[in-house]
Amino acid sequence: MAKNPEAWGSRIGIVLAMAGNAVGFGNFLRFPAQAIQNGGGAFIIPYIVCFLLLGIPLMFVEWTIGRSGGRYGQHSPPFLFESLTKRALWRYVGVFGIFSTVAIASYYCYLESWTMTYVYHTIAGTFQGSTQGAVSQIFNDYIEGAKIPDGIPYENIIAFILCLCFNVWILSKGLKGGIEKLATWGVPLLILFGVFLAIKGVTIQAGDQGAITSGLEGLNFLWTPQYNSLTDPKVWLAAAGQIFFTLSVGMGCIQCYASYMQQDEDIPLGALSTCFVNEFVEIVLGSTILISISVGFMGLDSVQALVANEGGFGIAFQTMPYLFAKWGPIMGIIAGVAFFGLLFISGITSSVAMCTPARAFLQDEFHISKNKSSLIVGSAIFLWGLPTVLFYSNGVFDQYDYWAGTISLFFFAMMETIFFSWVFGVDKGWKELNRGADIRLPKFLKFVLKFITPALLIVIFVAALIKPKDDNWASLSITGWELDQTSLIGRFTNHDGYNQKWVADTLYLEESGYYQGLFDYYGDQYAQFACINEQMEEYGYVKKYKLSGQDQMLLIEKELVQAGTPIASGKFYNDSLYTSLSLLYLVFLFIIISILVTIAFKKNHYQPPKEENHE
């Protein structure tokens, strides 16, 4: 049995580190947005079912695979699988565990840097006295690299580099001296900030400091059950996706952390503790903070419209600073620091976890020191993160998040569950899971692990592959059906939007709206449209299209224009150019990792077949 070069300092340390890995932006931004988009109470029942049948079993699977492989001195997903089975297929399934973490960390660190700078700007009073439009414009200026009040030019790039350096420094300190210490201090502080903001949210009363309704109105929307959701596949898919995102399963981080555990460490108690800490933060604190405060000051209809177009990030960075300012200069600063502070802590405890599998791979297989391997991982994240930083507004973030943060993550989770139950063997896995446990798991969970969880994952994955247009599942037929543009197959075979040519001589409107005219913005010219809903009403969302001096507008102001209408002629580098190149860049990353895994296998693990003696 190989001895681990590193180890956790205590049981509470690994639980807090695992919780810090799980608790991230998904708890405070993605969960409230998903709940709002999917009908509030209509989302909760599928979410809880998915937590019980997918989330908890997957946590058990990843903890068990990690601790089992750690017995042989392995800590990275490819060779954790390699240590438990000698089949090459599973070694390359493990590549997804490194690929996902590096690719996700490359944009996650950028989002994390936003929270860091927003703590500073809150203290500096940048948002005090600003209208909601002005606060939203500050965010748009920031991601474009323009100078904002109390800031510097290209602040987004500088903040990204500083944030990444901080991640590398913590990573270089190792498990006990870096990651565990960060979690030990960070997770309790995060919860303290969250409790303070949750109390402020639920005590909002209509008429107080500009509030238009009670903060409890938003929670009533979230916690009033709507049983019709039980037959809606769209809601089930959203709930399952949120469980994956919030628990950080399917990334390889949990496997890597668990591989450093003592072999008699309690898996069921540790995994369940991690799950319930995460769920407390998500459904008690995360939903209460964002939903109660935003609904209290803006009303439910306005919040739903905002989330539909901007998601959780739209509320967090373009709206919350404006709402905090309503509490006055002192309380507004305290609330802003608490909110963006907890987001920063939740982000960095997750991002250092994402860096760990790649660092462990370099240490184990190429015997690179802790400091150098941390620097190499940080450099890779910088190189693959630059497209998101430089071309965030061109759809690169969405492309990264879809392929790395959704498809790769889900596929890896599905495959590792099949591995645990049907390759490693559920009987052997069950025995390993319960070894050293202080609590005994009910035996029906063994049935869930073998049949229910793998079947659900396969069904959800197939549903994502063949999703029909407009979620019309009644259209499924043996003669065929039209795929939705957002289905997995649809992303490969269908055009998503109207501006698909990389370089085109005509620009098309992506969403129906009113043409408001041309506007100058830091020397660049933009055509601006007020978007409209199905009732042909404006709902506050504005779409901008960048033009050059040689481009010719084909519309007149205040004209109502339908999606797909030509709006300008000239020469246009469409967002499809950036999204296509970013996808190729991700494929390049996967190929590099696969090559390194092959080299490592031949270097350290390959044993040539013995020659037969025919004498």
Side-chain angles (χ1 to χ4, degrees), residues 77-78 93-102 250-253 354 357-358 408 412:
V93 167
V95 169
F96 283 91
I98 297 179
F99 165 76
S100 295
T101 50
V102 173
M251 292 186 183
C253 309
M354 294 176 199
S408 176
F412 182 64

Side-chain angles (χ1 to χ4, degrees), residues 4 6-8 14 17-18 21 61-70 73-78 80-81 97-98 101 171 175 179 248 251-261 352-364 412 416:
N4 287 346
E6 294 187 273
W8 299 102
I14 187 174
M18 288 283 197
N21 165 47
V61 166
E62 296 207 350
W63 279 60
T64 305
I65 292 175
R67 191 184 69 174
S68 299
Q74 300 301 325
H75 308 99
S76 63
L80 285 170
F81 284 115
I98 297 179
T101 50
L171 196 66
L175 291 181
I179 296 171
S248 297
M251 292 186 183
C253 309
I254 295 172
Q255 286 186 13
C256 183
Y257 273 10
S259 69
Y260 292 101
M261 295 170 61
V352 293
M354 294 176 199
C355 298
T356 306
R359 193 206 67 173
F361 170 68
L362 294 174
Q363 285 186 265
D364 290 348
F412 182 64
E416 69 180 353

